[in-house]
């Protein structure tokens, strides 16, 4: 694995600005995403906002040959859902919108679950517990903690609530490149793995399934779904390790730092 790139104070300031910009994209979408619109509509709204309003770059577009500004993962889609003009959001759907943004040479990465109309209590519970699981992982971040601490906290919360954790995909270091070292697993053993240092930046982005953890990839080469067609949820933030803990660089204005 490539060497971990610790960020300087100046670099973190640029990443902070990228993170704030990305948070503003979600704030913009909050009033836009409704039943009846297509996932391509969501993509186009986000792309135009990033380019026209923020004067930034949708970093996912063109990355690894991907053609769009975001991933839209509906219901049993675990991750990497491809926007489509024919996929219409319906009452009761849950959808993860995953967006990356680059400005000043640094990338921010975040995703959020949207509940469309009247969502079932079971679907809402999955979304809520996945959000909590992400925060359980974030809260242990500090110099001297380990990547295993993060994964252990997430897995413990998911399992306690009757869910499974997808193991094939993970969080990742981030900075000038979208994917840097280290890999941040959403399962693990407390006290094991890489020791965290001030200046590290990475994503925490657990994918939590209502049913079995098993997944499969569709023929488009991108979309990943649950093998049993049960629901999956995901949340994501970009995190910096600070001198005494963590900073959520992509924190949205409606959020409070959980546990603060």
């Amino acid at each position: 694995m490539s060497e971990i790139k610790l960020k300087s104070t100046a670099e973190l300031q640029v990443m902070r600005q990228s993170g704030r910009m990305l948070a503003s994209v979600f704030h913009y979408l909050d009033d836009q995403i409704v039943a009846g619109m297509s996932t391509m509509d969501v993509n186009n709204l986000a792309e135009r906002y990033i380019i026209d309003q923020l004067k930034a770059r949708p970093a996912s577009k063109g990355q690894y040959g991907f053609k769009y500004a975001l991933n839209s993962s509906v219901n049993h889609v675990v991750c990497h859902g491809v926007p489509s003009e024919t996929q219409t959001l319906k009452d009761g759907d849950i959808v993860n919108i995953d967006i990356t943004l680059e400005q000043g040479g640094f990338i921010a990465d975040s995703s959020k679950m949207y509940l469309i109309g009247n969502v079932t209590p079971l679907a809402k519970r999955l979304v809520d517990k996945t959000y909590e699981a992400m925060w359980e992982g974030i809260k242990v971040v500090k110099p001297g903690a380990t990547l295993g601490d993060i994964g252990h906290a997430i897995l413990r919360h998911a399992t306690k609530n009757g869910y499974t954790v997808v193991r094939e995909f993970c969080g990742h270091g981030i900075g000038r490149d979208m994917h840097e070292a280290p890999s941040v697993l959403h399962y693990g053993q407390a006290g094991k793995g890489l020791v965290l240092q001030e200046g590290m930046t990475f994503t925490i982005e657990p994918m939590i399934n209502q049913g079995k953890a098993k997944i499969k990839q569709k023929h488009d080469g991108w979309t990943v779904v649950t093998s049993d067609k049960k629901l999956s949820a995901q949340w994501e933030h970009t995190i910096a390790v600070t001198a005494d803990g963590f900073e959520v660089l992509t924190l949205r204005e409606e959020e409070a730092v959980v546990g603060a």
Side-chain angles (χ1 to χ4, degrees):
M1 179 177 287
S2 60
E3 184 180 351
I4 292 169
K5 300 170 183 175
L6 300 179
K7 309 307 187 294
S8 68
T9 300
E11 289 173 327
L12 280 173
Q13 186 55 37
V14 180
M15 291 191 70
R16 206 171 276 121
Q17 178 63 15
S18 297
R20 282 195 293 263
M21 284 185 171
L22 183 49
S24 78
V25 180
F26 287 102
H27 179 67
Y28 168 70
L29 290 177
D30 286 347
D31 295 327
Q32 307 284 337
I33 298 178
V34 294
M37 71 189 306
S38 72
T39 53
M40 187 65 79
D41 291 334
V42 180
N43 175 83
N44 294 342
L45 284 169
E47 182 172 2
R48 294 269 48 95
Y49 187 83
I50 291 169
I51 294 171
D52 296 342
Q53 299 300 316
L54 300 179
K55 310 302 181 187
R57 180 177 69 87
S60 294
K61 190 170 184 177
Q63 180 86 353
Y64 310 124
F66 191 70
K67 297 179 180 179
Y68 307 102
L70 55 78
N71 292 111
S72 51
S73 301
V74 182
N75 294 335
H76 72 291
V77 178
V78 174
C79 61
H80 301 164
V82 179
S84 168
E85 292 179 356
T86 60
Q87 183 179 43
T88 302
L89 295 175
K90 300 177 180 61
D91 186 71
D93 283 346
I94 62 172
V95 55
N96 178 269
I97 301 298
D98 188 345
I99 309 173
T100 60
L101 175 154
E102 180 268 323
Q103 71 85 36
F106 285 88
I107 297 173
D109 189 357
S110 183
S111 79
K112 177 177 180 176
M113 295 298 300
Y114 286 88
L115 281 62
I116 310 301
N118 298 300
V119 172
T120 67
L122 286 177
K124 185 177 186 305
R125 182 178 186 272
L126 173 67
V127 170
D128 290 345
K129 296 303 178 184
T130 302
Y131 184 71
E132 291 172 10
M134 175 189 67
W135 276 104
E136 288 298 307
I138 292 172
K139 285 191 296 183
V140 304
V141 172
K142 62 181 180 181
T146 68
L147 289 178
D149 294 337
I150 297 173
H152 175 74
I154 291 169
L155 180 64
R156 180 178 58 193
H157 194 76
T159 304
K160 178 177 72 176
N161 285 287
Y163 301 123
T164 58
V165 175
V166 173
R167 298 190 174 214
E168 289 86 345
F169 296 94
C170 61
H172 50 86
I174 189 169
R176 291 189 182 276
D177 296 314
M178 188 184 301
H179 296 110
E180 299 180 353
S183 295
V184 182
L185 304 182
H186 302 119
Y187 60 94
Q189 290 182 276
K192 301 291 186 180
L194 183 75
V195 176
L196 304 184
Q197 302 176 59
E198 181 181 1
M200 286 182 177
T201 51
F202 49 78
T203 69
I204 295 177
E205 48 181 301
M207 288 144 270
I208 308 294
N209 292 351
Q210 201 173 45
K212 296 177 181 178
K214 188 177 179 182
I215 59 173
K216 60 183 180 181
Q217 189 173 59
K218 298 183 77 171
H219 294 305
D220 63 9
W222 289 103
T223 308
V224 176
V225 298
T226 57
S227 61
D228 58 11
K229 299 295 180 71
K230 291 190 177 181
L231 297 177
S232 185
Q234 180 186 20
W235 294 83
E236 176 183 12
H237 272 311
T238 296
I239 312 298
V241 183
T242 63
D244 57 359
F246 64 85
E247 180 180 355
V248 182
L249 300 176
T250 48
L251 193 72
R252 296 178 282 272
E253 65 178 34
E254 76 273 13
E255 292 181 291
V257 175
V258 174

